Amino acid sequence: LAPLTVVPRGFGGSTMADVLHYVDRLVQPYKPRAVVIYEGDNDTFYGVPPMQIAGELKQIISKIHAALPDTRVYLLSVKPSLARVSVWDQALEVTELYKAIAASNDRLHFIDVATPFLKADGTVMDDVFVDDGLHLNDKGNRIWAAAIKAVLMVEEAQYETTND
């Protein structure tokens, strides 16, 4: 995501409940100007109801803004995958809830990382995953990064400081 300054704090296998539990430790010490959140994929697969996922997200945002009122939060849609086609309808519901949450506050932004992984007929691309059909390969990671960077460069680049 260069030239943006990034402090990666993601951890594999996480759910929205995990982020809620660890948000104070993951975010506040760094006093970031922005936070990017990707959750919902594991949650939907584990059967967590979309409204619960959205409720936990609202709690996370409240905690971030209580400590860091000016911090912008970017909410990534749930991405499709070959391995989780069975829960795609729930993932779409979660994504719609994320959009509504993002629309409720000018410090919140929605990033669509799902559409770039869909073919013209609406099915999931099959050449962007490693063998498990869930995790992204190099091509998938390039698509993922481009979707995120397209929004962050418009919204966040203006806040980036350099040592020039």
Side-chain angles (χ1 to χ4, degrees):
L1 296 175
L4 298 173
T5 303
V6 177
V7 179
R9 288 293 166 257
F11 50 101
S14 65
T15 63
M16 197 67 80
D18 294 325
V19 177
L20 178 57
H21 179 78
Y22 291 109
V23 68
D24 296 333
R25 215 182 309 179
L26 292 171
V27 176
Q28 278 82 337
Y30 302 95
K31 297 181 177 33
R33 67 171 183 260
V35 174
V36 178
I37 298 175
Y38 178 73
E39 287 297 346
D41 193 340
N42 291 329
D43 303 79
T44 54
F45 184 69
Y46 298 146
V48 179
M51 289 300 292
Q52 181 178 333
I53 299 166
E56 291 167 346
L57 174 61
K58 288 177 183 179
Q59 291 177 62
I60 291 164
I61 293 166
S62 291
K63 283 183 158 225
I64 291 170
H65 284 158
L68 305 162
D70 296 326
T71 297
R72 289 168 301 286
V73 179
Y74 293 84
L75 312 174
L76 276 56
S77 65
V78 181
K79 73 166 176 48
S81 67
L82 297 173
R84 297 192 172 163
V85 170
S86 64
V87 294
W88 184 236
D89 287 343
Q90 292 89 343
L92 288 172
E93 188 177 339
V94 169
T95 292
E96 288 304 312
L97 292 168
Y98 289 177
K99 285 182 190 176
I101 291 168
S104 72
N105 186 311
D106 62 0
R107 293 170 296 166
L108 306 178
H109 303 273
F110 175 79
I111 301 178
D112 177 9
V113 295
T115 302
F117 291 108
L118 298 174
K119 298 178 191 176
D121 66 0
T123 59
V124 182
M125 295 170 68
D126 56 9
D127 63 343
V128 294
F129 301 99
V130 296
D131 290 341
D132 66 4
L134 175 63
H135 297 95
L136 298 172
N137 62 20
D138 288 343
K139 178 180 179 180
N141 279 317
R142 284 191 302 275
I143 292 169
W144 173 272
I148 296 168
K149 189 172 184 176
V151 173
L152 291 183
M153 287 306 294
V154 170
E155 300 294 333
E156 284 303 309
Q158 64 186 316
Y159 302 104
E160 187 69 22
T161 58
T162 61
N163 295 326
D164 295 343

